[in-house]
Amino acid sequence: MTALFIRRPVMTALVMIGILFFGGVSYTRLAVSDLPTVDFPTIQVNANLPGASPETMAAAVATPLEKQFSTIAGIDNMTSSSGLGSTSITIQFSLDRSIDAAAQDVQAAISQTLRSLPQGILPPSYRKVNPADQPIIYFALTSKTMPLSQLDEYGQTFMAQRISMVPGIAQVQVFGGQKYAVRIQLDPTSLANRGIGIDEVATAIDAQNVSMPTGTLWGINRASTIKANGQLQNAQQFRQMVVAYRNGAPVHLDELGTVLDDVENNKVASWYNGDRAVVLAIQRQPGTNTVAVADGVKALIGSLRSQIPPSVDIHTLYDRSLSIEESVSDVKFTLMLTLFLVVMVIFVFLRNISATIIPSLALPMSLIGTFAVMYLLGFSLDNLSLMALTLAVGFVVDDAIVMLENIVRHMEMGKDPVKASYEGSAEVAFTILAMTVSLTAVFIPLLFMGGILGRLFHEFAVTIGTAILVSGFVSLTLTPMLASRFLKPPTHSHGRLFNATERVYTRILNKYESSLEWVMLRRFAALMFSLVVLVGTVVLFKLVPTGFIPTQDTGQIVATTEAAQGTSFKEMVRHQQQIAAIVARDTNIAGFMSSVGSGGGSGNQGRIFLGLKPRGERLSADEIVAELRPKLSSVPGMNVFMTVPPAIQIGGRQSKSQYQFTLQGTDIALLDTAAKRLEARMRDIAQIQDVTSDLQIANPEVRVDIDRDRAGSLGVTAEQIESALYDAYGSRQVSTIYTPNNQYQVVMELLPQFQQDVNALKMLYVRSAKGDLVPLSAVANITQGVGPLSITHAGVQYQTGCGAGSGDRCRRSRRGNHGSLDDHDEFLRNGAGVPGESAGSARAADSRHFRDLHGARHPVRELHSPGDDSYRLAFRRVRRSLRPACIPDASRRLRIRRTDSTRRHCQEKRDHDDRLRPRGGADATHYS
């Protein structure tokens, strides 16, 4: 083959030009990313039933949907979280599942479940998004003159909807949304004095604010559309609405309370650098390119700015693509520096310009040719693929040097360059082929790895293997052709530079010969030294901290703030402002977003997003976290959990920390007891901090116990009672305002002063079937207690995070910054009560567990030993993972479900009805 290319130099040149052309074009079209696409296909399903309690949402909405979803093939794990009026279900599929096909299956499952869902529920919707993944761009809208409701109109209606249409966008989250609404706040004393029930007000509003078809008037010569003004547009028009007549006089709505131009949810708020704002957080679809999606969004925002009033300021709080491009640029610089150093080393040793250029041409040819293959396979320019090319630089030049050295050897024998090229290349052609194939074979095992690691290193292995194969081809074709045309026969006369360097080489060679002779005379000592090095390598390998992926400083920090259960919105805002004031004083932060309140989640939690200054102007993200943590902990009544978002998000659950430990049982009281014992034990481990639980079941609640006999005798139904409570305290949407561009709610509730006292419930009246007004206190007993703030069907999640401060720095003997199994064994044996194991990134830290992440999970056997009142766990180590050897309990038997992907979901389908039903003990343990 080499002879053909030597005889036909024009053909050889055209082949190389073709490689350069296609490789160059492919390079310009390669996507830019930080890592290869390794996202699990994830779909989030949201369902809303305004005013419903967490128990109702979990039992009546989440359970039917999860039962239907569990029949879909390829589900890796499924979790749900139910709060006040909302349920969110996250379905994560196996890596080989197409997200588009999975979305079709999810849509079909939702359609089949609609009949079994409660009346009045908004139809469930789904998005191709991982809710645990961080947004790629944050935009903050502020204005010093514009009302927040109008600012929200530009943010949600004008910008968010347009951004959602950009290819690759999964959803646009709106923090601090202030959508316009008419808010009607009733005075229960005015209602009672006029003999009007609160349900009658809701009925009157719905009847008098209508937008219905009114038909057409067909005349003899022309047709006219009939239009009635049944639609009210603002609070002023609603104030004059007649609710009822008393003593022949109309009772207007403003006589019964206050009618305001307000917002849908006045229990949410966001700030940007201390100013009220509407924040748009843009999330990409799993599997899409971050940089390409971000560029599309920024191009759209640039075109929209001219259509937004000058009084609206659009701030870019954070842009993930900038850190990715910066990281990729650093690797590109390293690659170019490597190329330069390799060429310089070749020149220093060969000391001949033509002899240096010939093998050096193999470098750009191999790398540029690899770009064409990368483009055809859908790869991207990311840190791993560029690292593969950087490592390949040292490999690809070897073949060309071997070829060139043998040709020069033949020229030193007196042969002309052409003959030396023919004979020299023929001698080493098979050797170069063997070298190329053997080097490529080293990376073949990486192609067969599964799970996250397999996805990560597949692109790495293919890239470096392709570069080596292309270099072998170039060394067998271009190198001998160039040597036959441009290589000059060696001469015995050299310049002063050559002679000076030759003397240096001679001295080095003499030193090497003398040292080699010294070692050969002491062979046993040399052998013992080699053995010590080998043993030391094994020992150090076990001592070196290990982890999944190092923490990446991408210029962002996410903090979750949490107050006591039952904390009011006003008090939560006060605490959040104290936290924000501390953050604002930090000189490392370029900007921050603070948000409290939710549309149905945990109202005692807030969120702070910190956008950091460029790396050269600040500390590292871990150091900033360590610096802020003690300052933020000084705020009384608030817990702050700070994390640096990982490069790869494992799992689909939103959490306060990066690492999780999950438990699950059917008895929520027993689960709470076990969770508290486990949490207390984890706090004793010095290497972990920010220990927290997502199980919140101590939220204050007011219980209305209906006396059904008394209610029946008075002609009042339970539906009327609950509807009246919803009208009074649920911020119920009683009507809708339709406009050409949007729809706005009409919300009804009691005046704020009547929402602060339990005794106000006794002032509610309901119109009975007999026509009388019946006070709520006559048909119900009102008591106080505690209940769940949210219900998570995946179990109790424990999340641990490790800071970078000297006192809290993780010192791991075998797990690095992901925790030691010895520590896990210790606290599990000494008081967990329910077995469990690490989840999310903590579980991914051990590469041996990666098969657990894509289906091949360890089965947990059912074992029981009677005669022991306490929970005692004895764990033995099997392949460095946790498996329960004994779970004794005197009064009840623990059923441990297998966590194999297929059997797990079949079992979930059978047992889902019993999840929230109290029993005598923990019914199951589940690892996720």
Side-chain angles (χ1 to χ4, degrees):
M1 181 177 71
T2 57
L4 174 64
F5 287 94
I6 295 173
R7 287 195 304 268
R8 289 183 165 81
V10 176
M11 181 193 73
T12 305
L14 290 176
V15 171
M16 297 303 142
I17 291 174
I19 293 177
L20 288 175
F21 174 78
F22 289 109
V25 173
S26 299
Y27 174 79
T28 61
R29 299 186 179 185
L30 284 174
V32 178
S33 183
D34 54 345
L35 290 172
T37 301
V38 293
D39 299 312
F40 280 95
T42 306
I43 294 177
Q44 183 184 29
V45 179
N46 294 307
N48 294 284
L49 182 60
S53 66
E55 296 99 320
T56 301
M57 294 302 300
V61 179
T63 297
L65 286 171
E66 288 178 317
K67 279 187 174 182
Q68 195 64 42
F69 292 151
S70 64
T71 62
I72 300 175
I75 292 181
D76 186 77
N77 66 72
M78 178 170 56
T79 60
S80 70
S81 178
S82 300
L84 183 62
S86 68
T87 287
S88 177
I89 303 175
T90 302
I91 311 170
Q92 195 166 81
F93 294 86
S94 56
L95 285 170
D96 57 353
R97 190 77 156 87
S98 168
I99 191 170
D100 294 324
Q104 295 177 3
D105 293 341
V106 169
Q107 179 61 58
I110 292 175
S111 301
Q112 294 177 6
T113 315
L114 284 177
R115 299 178 184 176
S116 60
L117 297 180
Q119 292 183 355
I121 188 173
L122 301 178
S125 60
Y126 72 90
R127 295 178 182 272
K128 303 172 187 176
V129 62
N130 185 350
D133 202 2
Q134 292 297 322
I136 60 173
I137 302 182
Y138 283 87
F139 291 114
L141 277 68
T142 61
S143 178
K144 296 181 179 180
T145 59
M146 186 177 292
L148 285 174
S149 59
Q150 190 175 351
L151 185 65
D152 179 88
E153 188 75 16
Y154 284 103
Q156 289 206 56
T157 305
F158 184 69
M159 291 179 60
Q161 293 182 9
R162 297 284 298 274
I163 293 173
S164 298
M165 293 187 288
V166 174
I169 295 297
Q171 69 173 356
V172 180
Q173 290 181 291
V174 180
F175 292 98
Q178 301 289 296
K179 187 176 182 180
Y180 173 79
V182 173
R183 185 172 297 273
I184 301 170
Q185 297 176 329
L186 301 177
D187 185 347
T189 57
S190 298
L191 293 174
N193 293 337
R194 290 169 173 80
I196 299 176
I198 192 171
D199 53 338
E200 295 178 86
V201 178
T203 303
I205 295 172
D206 184 50
Q208 297 198 42
N209 179 50
V210 294
S211 179
M212 301 176 63
T214 49
T216 303
L217 185 63
W218 297 99
I220 299 176
N221 298 319
R222 67 177 181 178
S224 301
T225 302
I226 301 174
K227 183 179 180 180
N229 63 341
Q231 176 72 73
L232 304 179
Q233 299 294 331
N234 51 50
Q236 178 62 34
Q237 297 179 7
F238 274 91
R239 293 189 186 105
Q240 303 304 315
M241 188 184 71
V242 177
V243 176
Y245 281 85
R246 292 295 181 266
N247 300 323
V251 179
H252 297 93
L253 187 59
D254 60 352
E255 300 177 37
L256 303 177
T258 304
V259 184
L260 305 171
D261 288 315
D262 200 51
V263 296
E264 283 184 11
N265 190 346
N266 56 9
K267 297 298 186 293
V268 297
S270 288
W271 298 265
Y272 171 73
N273 291 344
D275 298 327
R276 283 297 298 270
V278 175
V279 180
L280 306 181
I282 295 120
Q283 287 186 282
R284 66 179 180 88
Q285 292 183 9
T288 55
N289 181 266
T290 300
V291 176
V293 173
D295 290 342
V297 172
K298 288 184 287 187
L300 175 64
I301 294 299
S303 64
L304 294 180
R305 283 186 183 272
S306 60
Q307 306 175 43
I308 297 177
S311 59
V312 177
D313 298 322
I314 303 177
H315 309 273
T316 302
L317 174 59
Y318 174 74
D319 185 355
R320 177 78 174 93
S321 65
L322 297 181
S323 61
I324 293 175
E325 291 176 335
E326 181 182 351
S327 176
V328 172
S329 297
D330 290 342
V331 181
K332 288 181 179 179
F333 174 77
T334 302
L335 176 60
M336 298 305 297
L337 181 61
T338 303
L339 289 171
F340 173 76
L341 292 176
V342 169
V343 172
M344 291 304 299
V345 169
I346 295 174
F347 175 75
V348 168
F349 280 89
L350 295 182
R351 291 161 292 176
N352 185 294
I353 295 180
S354 60
T356 301
I357 293 176
I358 292 173
S360 298
L361 288 176
L363 291 173
M365 295 298 303
S366 302
L367 300 185
I368 295 175
T370 304
F371 292 143
V373 178
M374 292 174 61
Y375 177 74
L376 291 175
L377 297 178
F379 293 169
S380 62
L381 285 176
D382 51 63
N383 290 329
L384 280 181
S385 62
L386 289 174
M387 183 178 68
L389 294 176
T390 304
L391 294 177
V393 169
F395 296 140
V396 299
V397 77
D398 290 345
D399 296 341
I401 291 178
V402 170
M403 175 66 74
L404 182 67
E405 190 276 335
N406 199 55
I407 293 174
V408 171
R409 184 177 64 86
H410 278 268
M411 293 175 63
E412 291 177 346
M413 298 168 58
K415 300 176 183 178
D416 62 90
V418 176
K419 185 176 181 181
S421 298
Y422 276 115
E423 296 182 1
S425 61
E427 287 181 355
V428 297
F430 182 79
T431 303
I432 291 176
L433 182 62
M435 291 172 55
T436 302
V437 174
S438 62
L439 283 175
T440 306
V442 172
F443 301 98
I444 291 178
L446 295 178
L447 301 177
F448 296 96
M449 294 181 64
I452 290 289
L453 276 184
R455 283 289 185 95
L456 279 174
F457 287 106
H458 177 82
E459 188 168 320
F460 172 85
V462 172
T463 300
I464 195 171
T466 301
I468 293 172
L469 291 175
V470 175
S471 73
F473 175 76
V474 172
S475 300
L476 293 174
T477 56
L478 180 64
T479 301
M481 189 275 289
L482 292 177
S484 67
R485 296 301 188 277
F486 301 103
L487 199 60
K488 297 179 181 179
T491 61
H492 297 287
S493 59
H494 300 288
R496 288 182 296 176
L497 178 62
F498 184 92
N499 293 329
T501 55
E502 186 67 23
R503 288 192 294 269
V504 175
Y505 296 152
T506 302
R507 292 194 189 99
I508 296 175
L509 181 59
N510 293 335
K511 290 290 185 181
Y512 170 71
E513 290 178 349
S514 60
S515 62
L516 181 60
E517 182 179 358
W518 185 86
V519 171
M520 295 303 295
L521 295 175
R522 298 165 178 81
R523 298 180 183 178
F524 181 78
L527 183 61
M528 290 298 101
F529 178 77
S530 300
L531 183 61
V532 170
V533 172
L534 178 61
V535 174
T537 301
V538 175
V539 173
L540 292 176
F541 175 77
K542 292 186 176 182
L543 294 178
V544 171
T546 61
F548 177 44
I549 290 181
T551 301
Q552 284 191 336
D553 187 351
T554 58
Q556 61 175 327
I557 298 174
V558 178
T560 301
T561 58
E562 185 176 74
Q565 298 180 51
T567 301
S568 67
F569 174 74
K570 185 177 180 179
E571 184 69 7
M572 189 67 195
V573 169
R574 187 179 69 85
H575 286 316
Q576 191 80 358
Q577 295 288 56
Q578 293 177 338
I579 297 293
I582 297 174
V583 170
R585 292 193 293 268
D586 195 293
T587 58
N588 299 291
I589 297 172
F592 68 94
M593 180 272 291
S594 175
S595 178
V596 295
S598 62
S602 299
N604 65 330
Q605 291 185 359
R607 176 187 176 92
I608 296 180
F609 179 89
L610 311 179
L612 307 181
K613 291 182 178 179
R615 294 184 185 181
E617 304 175 14
R618 60 172 172 85
L619 302 174
S620 68
D622 287 333
E623 290 174 332
I624 296 173
V625 169
E627 185 180 87
L628 283 175
R629 181 176 282 114
K631 297 178 182 179
L632 299 180
S633 63
S634 63
V635 178
M638 288 284 277
N639 293 321
V640 182
F641 307 95
M642 305 184 70
T643 60
V644 178
I648 297 177
Q649 180 65 46
I650 305 296
R653 179 195 293 270
Q654 290 179 312
S655 62
K656 308 168 201 171
S657 300
Q658 184 174 353
Y659 310 115
Q660 303 133 29
F661 193 91
T662 62
L663 305 170
Q664 183 176 340
T666 57
D667 188 333
I668 196 170
L670 178 62
L671 194 60
D672 181 55
T673 301
K676 291 178 179 178
R677 296 172 65 184
L678 179 61
E679 186 176 350
R681 190 67 187 89
M682 292 175 69
R683 294 184 188 277
D684 294 335
I685 301 176
Q687 293 91 341
I688 58 177
Q689 58 189 8
D690 288 347
V691 179
T692 180
S693 167
D694 68 349
L695 182 61
Q696 302 188 73
I697 60 172
N699 185 58
E701 64 180 19
V702 177
R703 298 170 181 169
V704 180
D705 298 323
I706 301 174
D707 187 341
R708 297 183 181 272
D709 293 336
R710 180 66 175 165
S713 65
L714 295 176
V716 178
T717 64
E719 181 183 3
Q720 287 179 292
I721 295 173
E722 292 200 359
S723 179
L725 291 171
Y726 190 11
D727 291 337
Y729 303 103
S731 295
R732 185 173 189 173
Q733 179 184 356
V734 293
S735 187
T736 303
I737 299 174
Y738 296 95
T739 67
N741 298 324
N742 212 331
Q743 300 176 9
Y744 305 99
Q745 296 182 6
V746 179
V747 179
M748 190 176 74
E749 61 186 11
L750 294 186
L751 286 168
Q753 58 266 32
F754 296 103
Q755 298 186 42
Q756 301 173 3
D757 190 2
V758 177
N759 294 324
L761 272 71
K762 300 178 182 179
M763 304 175 66
L764 290 180
Y765 288 81
V766 179
R767 181 75 63 183
S768 70
K770 301 177 182 179
D772 301 325
L773 279 181
V774 178
L776 182 64
S777 57
V779 293
N781 297 318
I782 300 173
T783 60
Q784 299 186 51
V786 295
L789 185 61
S790 63
I791 295 177
T792 304
H793 273 182
V796 184
Q797 176 176 307
Y798 291 89
Q799 301 156 338
T800 63
C802 180
S806 59
D808 298 321
R809 191 180 302 277
C810 292
R811 295 174 289 274
R812 298 291 189 248
S813 60
R814 283 181 295 174
R815 283 293 182 275
N817 59 350
H818 297 286
S820 168
L821 281 178
D822 293 333
D823 292 334
H824 284 300
D825 288 347
E826 182 182 356
F827 69 72
L828 283 171
R829 284 195 302 264
N830 285 277
V834 178
E837 69 177 8
S838 299
S841 297
R843 186 173 186 178
D846 189 348
S847 61
R848 296 180 182 229
H849 290 166
F850 266 88
R851 53 177 167 264
D852 296 353
L853 296 177
H854 54 89
R857 302 173 185 265
H858 294 297
V860 184
R861 297 175 298 174
E862 179 182 349
L863 296 166
H864 176 67
S865 176
D868 191 344
D869 293 333
S870 63
Y871 286 99
R872 295 183 290 104
L873 299 178
F875 278 76
R876 66 166 176 251
R877 199 175 307 281
V878 179
R879 295 186 179 180
R880 301 175 72 183
S881 64
L882 297 175
R883 299 180 71 178
C886 180
I887 310 176
D889 185 358
S891 59
R892 56 189 67 90
R893 183 183 181 97
L894 296 181
R895 291 189 294 107
I896 311 299
R897 289 205 300 264
R898 291 179 60 91
T899 56
D900 177 82
S901 180
T902 304
R903 294 188 57 184
R904 169 165 53 85
H905 292 296
C906 292
Q907 188 69 31
E908 282 182 349
K909 185 177 180 181
R910 292 193 294 268
D911 292 347
H912 223 311
D913 286 336
D914 298 330
R915 281 188 171 182
L916 300 177
R917 188 176 301 160
R919 291 191 179 183
D923 182 66
T925 305
H926 175 69
Y927 307 121
S928 63

